[in-house]
Amino acid sequence: MTKSVVNVENVQKIFGKKSENQYKALDNVSFTIKEGEFVGIMGPSGAGKTTLLNVVSTLDKATSGKIEIAGQDITDMKQNALADFRSEQLGFIFQDFNLLENLTVYENIALPLSLQGFSSKKIKPLVTQVAEKLGIKSILPKYPVTISGGQKQRAAAARALVHEPAIILADEPTGALDSKNAHSLMKTMEHLNQYHDVSIMLVTHDPLSASYCERILFIQDGTLYKEITKSGDQQQFHQQILNVLAELTSIQSS
Amino acid sequence: MLVKLLSGSMKKMWKDYLVLLFGLTISIAIFYMFETLAQNKAFLEANALISSIVFVFHVGTFILGLVTIFYIFYATSFVLSLRQKELGMYMTLGAKKGKVTQMMFLETLVIGIISLIIGLIVGVGLSEGIARLLMARLDFSGEGFHALYQSSLWTTVIFYMILFLLTAIVNAIRIARKSVLELLHADQIADNKVIKGWKTFVGTLFAIVLIAVGYFAMINMGELAHAGVIIATATVTPGTYFFFMAMLPFIIKRIKGIRTINEKGLNAFTYAQLDFRVSQLSKVLGTVAMLIALGLGAMTAGLSFYHNTEIQSSMMHAYDVKVLEPTDKELTEMENWEFEERNLYSYRVTDEGVYFSKDELQTNPPVIKEITGNLDELTKETRLEDDLTAPVYTTDETDNAELMPEQWHTALRSELMANFYIFGDRALYILDQEKFEAINADTQTVFVGKVENFIDHANTLEEIDERHHQLAVKYTGEEPTMSGSKYEDYISLKSIANGTIFMGMFLGVAFLMMMASVLMFKLLSSATVDIDRYQMLRKIGVRHAKLKKSIYKELFLVFLFPGLIGLVHVLIGMEMFSFILIEPYTKIWLPISMFLVIYGLYYLLTVKMYQRIVLPKN
């Protein structure tokens, strides 16, 4: 039996104070992600995707419920512990890359290691290794402004991977990429998942990107609406996703 | 339409514009403040100890002008960085390049004019306020000083109008040269210029050579005189800028290049922050260093004049306390003072002369100050040792008795206060015991003593001086203008020096204020970009405390280098005054530690402000 890396139980997130107009962004959401799984989160805009990601990524606190990542309950952790937890256990890939443009690609990738106090002797081989994995070894000494969007996202992915986190959280990673680069990035992520056992949680609204996942959770109005698992090939899965999305749209418009 | 777009976006980014306006306003206000002094020739000449004060102010105007030019060009380029993306957008929507260029030109100019108006008002207000404050502190009437001085006003207006016109043109040209795409993506383009090796080398060489020549000129100011001031100005100022443009980036790059340092914790980010905007930073830091040098220099020089009055007054007086015919009250009061040396001498006064007892003078010989003719030590203290063999010595040349040796004459006149002010034209005598007893008059005493710090006893000494004046009335029939005490000398020297001290402090405060505003401007203008960076770091799991530490470190280095360079400039620069002041370095720790405390506090304030801007509240 494989362990679960993410375990979300009855999570609620309410915005606004009690006296004010309250808004339930997440309502009793529960799910688990097993080690080595590639899970997608989909749903229309405003469904709560980003809120869910923020809560899982410890950037935001859930109003109630329990979240466990790599066996650790993060709901009661203090600020500093959370920061340490993020730097050790989580890897982030954002839509807008979020590379520090005043650092070279190498320095960007090395940052999580530096923060954990790795010696520079150990840092270099690790950075080179992950850069090779992502095919960006040649751009390591460059600054982010001088490389393409696809390369930036790979660099971001390398940074998310370098310290071998328990899970990678990706927020619309292909959002700012053209279809070719998007395809290539998703292929890489699929590869990382399949051959290097990297667990990934991917938030996206792009059905094609989502079709690289093994399992997809759909959320609608803050609740889990449906869950589908890949059974056939990617093409079929893509079609399946489109069908669910069509369902969702018809519910919304009715 | 153009104006509408312009004012509309100005409203949107009013916070950024406020920062810019603040920076420009302070610069204008300080320039004006400086000019109120620099152009008020009558005031300068009437109140300065330095004869070539007007010349000094000309040099000051030159340095301040140069520093201001650097600063204004830097500050107005901020307008460009604020607006280029938006202007690029207008162009994609069909605005013609000419129109956009025109907008940039107008905007820079309008901002300049607005800040000029506010700056002048602030400048007049500051001049008035600071002048009043200082005059009250210094007991200085400051007649002839005008906070609102017309010719200074015009100079400031003309100087800044030319500067703003120039910067407006430069900004317009820079916009005109850029393509639409460059404008649109302006915020993504790193201004991380690759510094060429040979450029760094030449720049560093220039910096070292120029500063060395300048220091040499300042140290040898005695021989070089005016030429020395000009050489020092023309070398140290550009040398400082070269240092910050070539050497500092080089040093930071070097530190960054050491992987064991760079890859430790957040260091990579901290040094990158420094390195990243290095070209902008260099001008700001050069300006800050020069302003620190000017401000601290002015204050140190001013305070140095103040302390030199103490030294100057000691030059002609061996004893700090000299009391003729001390009263019981004065004697009890002095019982509590810690004397390093004290003596009591007897004398008798007749209508013809003042008579001292030789035996007393020989048992406890007094000390005097003698002029050496050596510039390093103008006077030296000598204890009178030679034997007085004759029974009578006198200063009366018509008398048949032995003429009093010059040293003893000095001792009686300067140290025992048997001087013209008190005793009129009575002759002085030193008599043996027998002859002294034969003088038909009451025996009086004069008390002399040395204390650690005579200023501590200012009140009593002033009272004693007053009584001496009454004593003079008794002996001569008229009140003298002075009595010849050390304290009196000190007071009169101080009142002469006050004008110079006033100028030093006034300018010191002004320059340091401008320094603060320049640093603040640099900081706030780059804070917006940094918000995203710190947020990003927080996301990937950097502890709040670490981010705070990184800010402390980055700003520490930003503060450290100009502070250090400015300080060294001042330390060497004080040597310039060695031909006017006896000891220019006396109590130099005082203004320097004052500066360090203020600078340190300003650093902490800046860090706190910065943290509030870029770090989210917990």
Side-chain angles (χ1 to χ4, degrees):
Chain A
M1 191 191 104
T2 41
K3 284 192 293 181
S4 62
V5 270
V6 176
N7 190 16
V8 175
E9 272 174 44
N10 304 320
V11 164
Q12 261 200 335
K13 177 71 191 176
I14 300 171
F15 289 109
K17 288 180 189 136
K18 266 186 188 155
S19 52
E20 292 164 13
N21 229 354
Q22 288 193 332
Y23 169 67
K24 244 181 219 177
L26 291 177
D27 190 7
N28 268 325
V29 175
S30 302
F31 65 90
T32 52
I33 297 175
K34 293 206 178 65
E35 211 170 67
E37 241 192 329
F38 190 173
V39 176
I41 310 278
M42 290 196 79
S45 304
K49 293 184 307 250
T50 308
T51 310
L52 181 62
L53 188 83
N54 282 345
V55 168
V56 171
S57 64
T58 78
L59 292 173
D60 206 346
K61 272 201 187 276
T63 313
S64 68
K66 191 171 149 189
I67 301 170
E68 275 181 358
I69 297 173
Q72 272 179 284
D73 187 349
I74 60 160
T75 34
D76 289 329
M77 278 193 198
K78 293 265 179 300
Q79 279 296 333
N80 276 341
L82 281 178
D84 289 348
F85 182 80
R86 281 201 294 278
S87 73
E88 284 158 24
Q89 303 288 355
L90 305 181
F92 289 97
I93 307 176
F94 302 94
Q95 176 176 1
D96 46 2
F97 322 125
N98 261 319
L99 291 171
L100 289 160
E101 75 268 31
N102 54 355
L103 297 181
T104 60
V105 172
Y106 178 91
E107 286 170 327
N108 262 295
I109 300 173
L111 199 58
L113 298 175
S114 300
L115 286 172
Q116 286 176 42
F118 278 60
S119 72
S120 60
K121 228 185 243 167
K122 279 188 192 156
I123 290 176
K124 195 165 185 186
L126 286 172
V127 172
T128 323
Q129 212 182 337
V130 78
E132 253 166 14
K133 232 186 257 179
L134 288 159
I136 48 168
K137 207 181 160 199
S138 61
I139 56 161
L140 281 180
K142 291 192 177 173
Y143 281 94
V145 275
T146 60
I147 62 178
S148 74
Q151 285 172 322
K152 275 185 205 171
Q153 202 53 295
R154 276 161 191 279
R159 187 179 64 187
L161 267 176
V162 72
H163 54 300
E164 296 184 344
I167 187 163
I168 288 195
L169 304 168
D171 186 8
E172 302 276 11
T174 56
L177 300 180
D178 58 59
S179 61
K180 188 171 154 250
N181 272 314
H183 171 72
S184 151
L185 180 76
M186 289 318 298
K187 263 272 177 253
T188 311
M189 288 181 72
E190 190 181 39
H191 178 88
L192 288 171
N193 172 253
Q194 283 176 359
Y195 297 95
H196 300 279
D197 283 331
V198 179
S199 319
I200 302 170
M201 175 172 150
L202 169 79
V203 170
T204 184
H205 68 267
D206 172 31
L208 192 62
S209 295
S211 66
Y212 288 88
C213 300
E214 294 168 341
R215 184 157 68 100
I216 292 176
L217 307 168
F218 290 89
I219 50 175
Q220 165 89 328
D221 297 332
T223 54
L224 225 50
Y225 168 76
K226 198 168 200 166
E227 180 179 334
I228 56 172
T229 313
K230 193 192 265 178
S231 45
D233 63 4
Q234 197 190 343
Q235 204 95 50
Q236 287 170 340
F237 198 46
H238 185 204
Q239 195 52 53
Q240 237 179 314
I241 295 166
L242 288 174
N243 291 342
V244 180
L245 287 177
E247 256 176 65
L248 278 170
T249 328
S250 66
I251 295 170
Q252 263 193 328
S253 52
S254 67
Chain B
M1 188 62 208
L2 219 138
V3 177
K4 211 170 174 184
L5 278 175
L6 233 156
S7 58
S9 65
M10 268 174 138
K11 263 183 223 151
K12 247 188 323 194
M13 295 190 279
W14 70 273
K15 252 188 184 167
D16 291 317
Y17 280 99
L18 214 63
V19 171
L20 177 66
L21 271 180
F22 173 75
L24 295 177
T25 302
I26 294 290
S27 155
I28 292 162
I30 302 300
F31 187 85
Y32 170 77
M33 270 175 84
F34 182 82
E35 289 305 309
T36 54
L37 272 189
Q39 301 200 354
N40 198 337
K41 234 185 199 169
F43 175 77
L44 290 183
E45 280 170 352
N47 289 291
L49 280 179
I50 316 169
S51 55
S52 48
I53 189 78
V54 177
F55 170 74
V56 170
F57 271 89
H58 280 316
V59 173
T61 304
F62 174 77
I63 301 178
L64 184 62
L66 208 69
V67 166
T68 307
I69 292 171
F70 267 100
Y71 178 58
I72 296 297
F73 268 89
Y74 165 67
T76 46
S77 74
F78 183 59
V79 184
L80 189 77
S81 67
L82 276 180
R83 296 299 305 278
Q84 46 192 358
K85 193 170 183 183
E86 202 178 340
L87 293 178
M89 218 168 66
Y90 293 153
M91 277 169 82
T92 57
L93 296 175
K96 292 208 174 59
K97 192 148 211 174
K99 209 79 179 158
V100 168
T101 308
Q102 200 185 337
M103 266 174 86
M104 193 69 242
F105 176 82
L106 272 178
E107 188 172 328
T108 313
L109 202 61
V110 166
I111 288 170
I113 291 168
I114 294 172
S115 52
L116 188 55
I117 294 165
I118 304 174
L120 286 173
I121 296 168
V122 173
V124 174
L126 276 179
S127 304
E128 180 69 35
I130 293 178
R132 272 197 197 183
L133 208 76
L134 282 174
M135 285 174 188
R137 290 279 305 146
L138 288 170
D139 270 333
F140 172 58
S141 67
E143 265 167 59
F145 177 80
H146 306 289
L148 186 69
Y149 199 70
Q150 236 184 27
S151 91
S152 310
L153 213 60
W154 284 117
T155 314
T156 313
V157 169
I158 292 167
F159 178 68
Y160 276 93
M161 277 316 289
I162 293 173
L163 257 183
F164 285 133
L165 260 175
L166 277 179
T167 49
I169 292 169
V170 168
N171 273 355
I173 291 174
R174 280 167 72 184
I175 280 281
R177 275 203 189 147
K178 285 193 176 172
S179 72
V180 186
L181 277 177
E182 273 176 317
L183 289 175
L184 276 175
H185 299 297
D187 54 342
Q188 295 166 26
I189 290 165
D191 41 2
N192 190 40
K193 287 173 190 146
V194 180
I195 304 158
K196 289 208 175 78
W198 67 269
K199 270 192 182 164
T200 309
F201 178 74
V202 172
T204 308
L205 199 71
F206 263 150
I208 293 171
V209 170
L210 285 172
I211 291 179
V213 170
Y215 282 180
F216 178 80
M218 288 198 278
I219 291 168
N220 296 295
M221 195 59 74
E223 291 103 75
L224 294 166
H226 281 196
V229 178
I230 294 172
I231 293 172
T233 309
T235 51
V236 172
T237 315
T240 306
Y241 279 101
F242 270 120
F243 172 84
F244 284 104
M245 285 192 287
M247 230 160 129
L248 190 62
F250 178 72
I251 293 172
I252 293 171
K253 275 236 159 35
R254 265 293 150 91
I255 298 177
K256 222 174 137 39
I258 304 168
R259 283 194 27 230
T260 43
I261 295 179
N262 195 41
E263 286 173 11
K264 209 169 146 215
L266 256 188
N267 277 358
F269 176 75
T270 312
Y271 290 122
Q273 282 286 88
L274 274 176
D275 186 36
F276 195 50
R277 285 183 294 261
V278 104
S279 64
Q280 288 183 4
L281 215 63
S282 65
K283 278 182 211 145
V284 175
L285 296 186
T287 305
V288 168
M290 284 311 293
L291 286 172
I292 288 175
L294 287 175
L296 185 57
M299 275 170 88
T300 310
L303 280 175
S304 180
F305 272 101
Y306 187 82
H307 294 306
N308 262 268
T309 53
E310 216 175 306
I311 300 170
Q312 278 174 321
S313 57
S314 300
M315 249 168 53
M316 304 315 290
H317 300 270
Y319 291 104
D320 306 302
V321 184
K322 305 163 188 177
V323 194
L324 287 165
E325 301 168 26
T327 62
D328 290 343
K329 191 179 153 236
E330 284 160 2
L331 286 172
T332 16
E333 162 79 29
M334 286 191 293
E335 276 304 305
N336 304 322
W337 300 3
E338 273 183 33
F339 285 101
E340 291 162 3
E341 183 188 332
R342 54 193 287 184
N343 279 318
L344 205 61
Y345 301 102
S346 308
Y347 65 92
R348 291 183 181 186
V349 187
T350 66
D351 285 348
E352 286 76 40
V354 185
Y355 308 90
F356 284 87
S357 150
K358 188 171 84 176
D359 289 2
E360 273 180 21
L361 288 171
Q362 295 256 269
T363 6
N364 289 315
V367 283
I368 59 164
K369 289 275 181 161
E370 273 190 313
I371 292 166
T372 58
N374 177 357
L375 271 177
D376 288 335
E377 198 191 4
L378 291 171
T379 58
K380 70 170 199 285
E381 215 170 84
T382 322
R383 191 169 296 280
L384 298 183
E385 278 166 342
D386 48 327
D387 268 346
L388 296 167
T389 45
V392 178
Y393 290 93
T394 179
T395 55
D396 184 1
E397 287 171 20
T398 58
D399 205 304
N400 290 329
E402 192 97 10
L403 213 58
M404 195 182 292
E406 193 48 46
Q407 283 188 327
W408 282 100
H409 189 181
T410 309
L412 298 189
R413 196 183 53 228
S414 312
E415 304 302 339
L416 305 190
M417 291 194 77
N419 60 37
F420 176 79
Y421 307 114
I422 309 266
F423 297 103
D425 44 16
R426 286 180 175 85
L428 302 180
Y429 295 90
I430 297 175
L431 307 174
D432 63 17
Q433 203 56 28
E434 194 186 327
K435 291 215 160 57
F436 183 72
E437 295 296 345
I439 300 292
N440 186 20
D442 291 340
T443 303
Q444 307 288 358
T445 52
V446 50
F447 175 95
V448 295
K450 281 183 181 180
V451 287
E452 174 74 29
N453 190 0
F454 76 102
I455 315 274
D456 292 348
H457 311 297
N459 287 338
T460 315
L461 290 175
E462 199 181 329
E463 281 168 27
I464 292 171
D465 280 339
E466 260 168 50
R467 199 177 51 73
H468 281 166
H469 281 230
Q470 298 315 311
L471 206 62
V473 175
K474 184 178 124 194
Y475 286 123
T476 66
E478 49 188 302
E479 170 139 17
T481 47
M482 54 199 294
S483 64
S485 77
K486 178 173 175 176
Y487 181 71
E488 249 182 18
D489 272 11
Y490 166 72
I491 292 298
S492 55
L493 280 168
K494 209 176 91 175
S495 71
I496 304 170
N498 266 349
T500 313
I501 299 164
F502 168 78
M503 289 172 206
M505 297 304 271
F506 183 87
L507 296 181
V509 172
F511 286 138
L512 291 183
M513 265 168 57
M514 182 160 166
M515 179 280 292
S517 100
V518 170
L519 261 181
M520 181 79 75
F521 177 76
K522 137 83 191 78
L523 197 83
L524 296 179
S525 64
S526 59
T528 17
V529 192
D530 285 348
I531 294 174
D532 292 339
R533 292 184 185 157
Y534 283 99
Q535 198 182 1
M536 148 93 264
L537 285 170
R538 211 173 59 86
K539 273 186 189 167
I540 66 166
V542 183
R543 279 177 174 220
H544 200 73
K546 256 192 179 154
L547 291 178
K548 274 185 160 176
K549 211 176 118 194
S550 165
I551 292 174
Y552 269 110
K553 206 167 175 182
E554 183 195 340
L555 293 183
F556 178 74
L557 291 172
V558 168
F559 272 72
L560 176 73
F561 287 103
L564 219 59
I565 300 278
L567 207 60
V568 175
H569 282 356
V570 170
L571 286 177
I572 309 268
M574 282 311 288
E575 191 68 46
M576 281 198 294
F577 293 95
S578 58
F579 72 103
I580 324 167
L581 293 170
I582 303 159
E583 283 174 26
Y585 290 99
T586 323
K587 295 204 179 164
I588 196 166
W589 58 268
L590 187 72
I592 286 180
S593 40
M594 254 163 62
F595 162 75
L596 287 180
V597 168
I598 294 170
Y599 199 55
L601 287 176
Y602 188 64
Y603 160 71
L604 290 178
L605 175 83
T606 311
V607 168
K608 289 286 166 222
M609 275 184 66
Y610 202 64
Q611 286 175 344
R612 273 183 63 148
I613 297 172
V614 300
L615 297 180
K617 284 163 212 101
N618 262 341

